[in-house]
Amino acid sequence: MSIETVDSIGYVVALEGTKIRVNLLEGHKGQLASHRRGVSSVSQPGDLIGLDAGTNLVIARVTDMAFVDPDKAHSSNVGTMNVTDTPLRQLIAYSVGYVFQEGDTRKFISENWKLPTLGAKAIPLSSDYLETIYGVNEDEKGSTIELGRDSRTKTTSINAGLNSLLSRHLAVLGSTGYGKSNFNALLSQRIREKFTKSRIVIFDINGEYTDAFIGQKRVKETILGSISPPSTNSAGFAPVAPPPIFDGKYPVYHQIPYQAFGYAGLIKLLRPSDKTQLPALRNALKSLHMVCTCQNGLIWTAETIPPSTTANWFELVDDCRQDGQDHLSQWLKKLRSNALGHFPTWPPFKALANLVAEFGCQAFTPQGASKRDAFSYGNVLPLVKIIQQLVDDPRFNNVVNLSGGQAITNPATMWNKEVENEVDYIFGKKSGEPQDWDVHIINLKNIADDHAPMILGSLLEMYSDVLFKRGQDQNYPTMLLLEEAHHYLRDPFAEEGTQLKAYERLAKEGRKFNCSLLVSTQRPSELSSTVLAMCSNWISLRLTNERDINALRHAIENGNEYTLSEISGLPRGDAIGFGSTFNIPVRFTIDKAEPSPKSSDAAFASIWST
């Protein structure tokens, strides 16, 4: 469509910086402007309008509309019958960019410095111009994902280039019930349809994404927890392979081995104090492979396996009793110097409490003999209690395997091996290794809210540790969909205690290592501000809380107050997209995911009236 062939609907009467005033002609009352290439709305704030600028078409966004008295406005009779007594309709718009012709194609540049001349005609935008404005870069034309249609006219599809959408992380925000899960499922489905070798890991807090992938191939669901059907083996894996077409009926029940948290991960999980508890915990972790448990649950360490005499064994306790402390110093010295042989299997998690107690309570008499000192024991007692509470908490030991028993083949690599095995299972193997799934749904319904920051933060800690060790070339491109992220990506300044902050490193550097985060939350104000700031693309559904909108205001780069003011009034299913993948902030209606996730509202009226 040529600009010359389109009838004018108004003309520019004033330029005030990037602020443009347009008088509408008498034949166009500012409702709908129609032409042979479509119908464009110019009746409401937020609509786009084109302004002739010679070889370019300036694109402006309408922000205000008003009647203006004819004696105070440009009242030329051009295009009108008589304006001496009739108030003029006037638009106020701001330049958001311009369209120019390059060969046979049009291009849109999102820069607001180019302005029309006084008297330049205003024209409605056809669907092909809107596609240019809302479109993607030329180099991404073959890798676009359709997200929906523009909310105003419903004539233009809104697409996003996959590389620009995922390479620098994506935040999906919105109050509950306004369509976040539908958008996340839709995006995942369309990525799967177009890119057959994609890899997506979904942290499914409420167990709602299973339905969205029924009927697809290479989809796997894992439920974290030990409540498994009788058909599973001791490792928690189903012995019978699920059918090749995913039907949601054969989930794998899986417990995280406590040692898979890793050396550093367990330190962050248990949150020891720096001066007294941390040294004792470090010694305990280094010595863990040299202790075992006997049938009555006692924790022992030994010089020979099996022991030939009683003297070769020493019992470790988690209290401050005086028994056996004549030999305490020599046994702790052997443990600390790694002078004892390792046992073939991992001890139970409760062994950490015994080791922390023994390393933390040791003191010496004036004669140089060792003893268990009550004052020193009091310093590590809170840490001992934390370990004991986790062991006794059924909500924790349902998700985390605290019993031990897994094989130890090499003490030098035992921590790294356990972490890598868990990362391979949950997040996928490195490039070049066979993988039996493309979408892995991690069902987290068994994790208690107060344990979510610990457990899920530790999972991300494992992943970041392995991700950065593997290097850029060995990591397969993976998208992590972090649903309800405010439960576990919490702002470290909003709570007491040391937080697990591996997710912040993933947000800062993960893109260099082929990791993309899709952070979905209904409370961005409770999310880590670092994670929000690292997201370069935003899909915001309705948000009404002022704190949440302020969190968005401080994090976005190219949003403006008008865009933010729209967010609180969005209807269900509408969203505003902005960021590096969008030329300008765009409001669009999200397509319906088919099949949809299990996130619909409860039918109170129909159920209660039956």
Side-chain angles (χ1 to χ4, degrees):
M1 181 189 71
S2 172
I3 297 174
E4 290 77 12
T5 63
V6 182
D7 292 336
S8 172
I9 62 171
Y11 49 93
V12 177
V13 296
L15 298 173
E16 305 168 23
T18 59
K19 183 178 178 180
I20 305 168
R21 292 182 183 271
V22 176
N23 279 356
L24 290 177
L25 300 179
E26 182 67 17
H28 297 275
K29 293 298 186 180
Q31 297 173 0
L32 290 177
S34 61
H35 46 79
R36 61 180 179 173
R37 298 299 297 271
V39 177
S40 297
S41 169
V42 289
S43 62
Q44 300 178 38
D47 291 335
L48 297 178
I49 192 170
L51 304 167
D52 189 5
T55 58
N56 303 311
L57 182 68
V58 173
I59 307 301
R61 189 184 295 278
V62 176
T63 59
D64 299 278
M65 303 186 72
F67 281 112
V68 183
D69 291 337
D71 59 340
K72 295 181 180 179
H74 181 70
S75 57
S76 170
N77 287 334
V78 177
T80 65
M81 295 298 294
N82 186 352
V83 295
T84 57
D85 298 320
T86 305
L88 297 176
R89 281 182 186 264
Q90 193 173 79
L91 301 180
I92 296 176
Y94 287 82
S95 173
V96 295
Y98 62 94
V99 175
F100 67 97
Q101 194 80 22
E102 186 175 79
D104 295 331
T105 61
R106 294 191 189 93
K107 291 189 175 180
F108 174 75
I109 303 297
S110 178
E111 296 177 355
N112 62 2
W113 59 270
K114 191 176 286 294
L115 297 172
T117 59
L118 288 176
K121 71 176 183 178
I123 65 171
L125 298 175
S126 62
S127 58
D128 53 353
Y129 268 101
L130 290 174
E131 287 174 1
T132 300
I133 296 167
Y134 295 144
V136 299
N137 297 329
E138 286 293 326
D139 57 350
E140 288 197 283
K141 284 290 179 65
S143 60
T144 59
I145 301 294
E146 184 174 342
L147 306 179
R149 308 194 78 78
D150 72 294
S151 298
R152 200 74 76 188
T153 69
K154 300 293 192 297
T155 61
T156 306
S157 62
I158 304 301
N159 299 300
L162 186 70
N163 288 336
S164 59
L165 184 67
L166 298 186
S167 62
R168 297 183 180 180
H169 311 311
L170 169 65
V172 179
L173 315 175
S175 301
T176 181
Y178 280 91
K180 292 191 309 300
S181 298
N182 175 72
F183 176 82
N184 296 336
L186 174 77
L187 180 63
S188 303
Q189 290 169 352
R190 293 192 169 169
I191 289 174
R192 286 271 292 142
E193 292 169 3
K194 191 162 188 175
F195 304 94
T196 56
K197 295 183 179 180
S198 56
R199 181 181 292 181
I200 301 173
V201 179
I202 302 174
F203 276 23
D204 187 3
I205 287 286
N206 299 313
E208 58 188 331
Y209 282 91
T210 302
D211 289 359
F213 293 93
I214 289 177
Q216 297 194 25
K217 295 181 179 179
R218 293 177 60 81
V219 176
K220 182 176 183 177
E221 180 188 13
T222 293
I223 298 178
L224 289 186
S226 62
I227 307 175
S228 56
S231 59
T232 58
N233 58 26
S234 59
F237 298 93
V240 179
I245 304 298
F246 182 70
D247 60 5
K249 298 179 180 178
Y250 298 91
V252 177
Y253 289 81
H254 176 71
Q255 284 185 296
I256 306 170
Y258 78 88
Q259 64 271 18
F261 289 146
Y263 182 90
L266 284 172
I267 291 177
K268 292 185 177 183
L269 177 72
L270 298 172
R271 309 180 302 279
S273 63
D274 291 337
K275 292 184 179 180
T276 56
Q277 297 176 5
L278 183 57
L281 180 58
R282 283 177 172 166
N283 284 326
L285 293 171
K286 290 178 181 178
S287 308
L288 197 56
H289 62 291
M290 293 181 286
V291 301
C292 72
T293 181
C294 57
Q295 293 181 353
N296 58 5
L298 301 179
I299 305 299
W300 295 81
T301 185
E303 286 184 321
T304 59
I305 305 170
S308 56
T309 64
T310 306
N312 289 328
W313 286 82
F314 186 82
E315 180 185 354
L316 302 169
V317 297
D318 59 3
D319 51 31
C320 199
R321 71 183 71 172
Q322 302 303 309
D323 300 342
Q325 61 181 355
D326 296 340
H327 304 289
L328 175 64
S329 178
Q330 66 179 25
W331 282 101
L332 292 183
K333 183 178 180 180
K334 292 176 182 179
L335 286 170
R336 191 180 289 111
S337 61
N338 202 24
L340 302 176
H342 76 87
F343 285 89
T345 59
W346 285 91
F349 182 71
K350 66 179 182 180
L352 273 178
N354 297 59
L355 285 168
V356 167
E358 295 287 31
F359 279 116
C361 74
Q362 185 186 19
F364 295 92
T365 64
Q367 295 75 26
S370 66
K371 68 172 184 176
R372 292 189 179 99
D373 179 66
F375 178 80
S376 299
Y377 177 72
N379 292 328
V380 297
L381 180 60
L383 179 58
V384 172
K385 292 297 183 183
I386 289 175
I387 298 172
Q388 292 173 343
Q389 288 169 4
L390 291 177
V391 171
D392 296 333
D393 190 341
R395 302 173 305 158
F396 186 79
N397 58 45
N398 176 43
V399 175
V400 181
N401 184 352
L402 304 180
S403 60
Q406 297 83 5
I408 298 177
T409 55
N410 183 357
T413 60
M414 61 182 188
W415 290 108
N416 292 337
K417 181 177 181 298
E418 296 291 343
V419 173
E420 289 175 3
N421 288 343
E422 195 66 15
V423 168
D424 285 348
Y425 176 75
I426 291 180
F427 298 97
K429 299 178 181 179
K430 60 184 179 182
S431 294
E433 295 188 358
Q435 185 69 42
D436 62 351
W437 52 263
D438 295 329
V439 175
H440 194 183
I441 303 170
I442 311 297
N443 191 321
L444 307 171
K445 64 181 183 179
N446 291 331
I447 297 182
D449 288 346
D450 55 331
H451 290 160
M454 293 190 299
I455 296 175
L456 301 184
S458 295
L459 282 178
L460 295 176
E461 182 78 27
M462 299 177 206
Y463 182 53
S464 65
D465 181 55
V466 174
L467 186 79
F468 299 122
K469 284 181 180 178
R470 284 177 177 172
Q472 295 174 317
D473 296 334
Q474 295 191 48
N475 288 306
Y476 195 86
T478 303
M479 183 184 86
L480 301 187
L481 198 169
L482 305 178
E483 179 71 22
E484 303 292 354
H486 55 278
H487 285 297
Y488 47 95
L489 304 189
R490 295 178 180 171
D491 193 327
F493 300 105
E495 295 182 354
E496 297 181 358
T498 304
Q499 292 291 307
L500 298 166
K501 297 167 67 176
Y503 50 78
E504 294 191 350
R505 190 182 178 196
L506 283 175
K508 292 176 182 177
E509 306 173 35
R511 65 175 185 85
K512 303 175 186 177
F513 295 84
N514 298 328
C515 172
S516 174
L517 302 182
L518 192 164
V519 182
S520 178
T521 179
Q522 54 185 279
R523 293 307 310 273
S525 60
E526 296 180 5
L527 206 64
S528 165
S529 57
T530 299
V531 174
L532 277 180
M534 291 299 104
C535 293
S536 293
N537 291 298
W538 307 77
I539 305 293
S540 180
L541 296 93
R542 181 170 180 166
L543 288 171
T544 56
N545 186 279
E546 187 62 30
R547 287 182 57 199
D548 295 331
I549 295 176
N550 278 333
L552 191 60
R553 176 181 286 112
H554 295 151
I556 63 176
E557 297 177 357
N558 62 345
N560 53 39
E561 287 302 316
Y562 174 75
T563 301
L564 291 171
S565 67
E566 277 193 294
I567 291 175
S568 61
L570 290 173
R572 186 172 188 172
D574 271 23
I576 295 178
F578 45 94
S580 60
T581 197
F582 301 98
N583 294 326
I584 59 174
V586 54
R587 177 172 168 176
F588 64 98
T589 301
I590 302 169
D591 289 343
K592 180 72 173 175
E594 294 293 345
S596 59
K598 193 176 182 180
S599 59
S600 58
D601 296 336
F604 287 97
S606 61
I607 295 175
W608 286 1
S609 62
T610 302

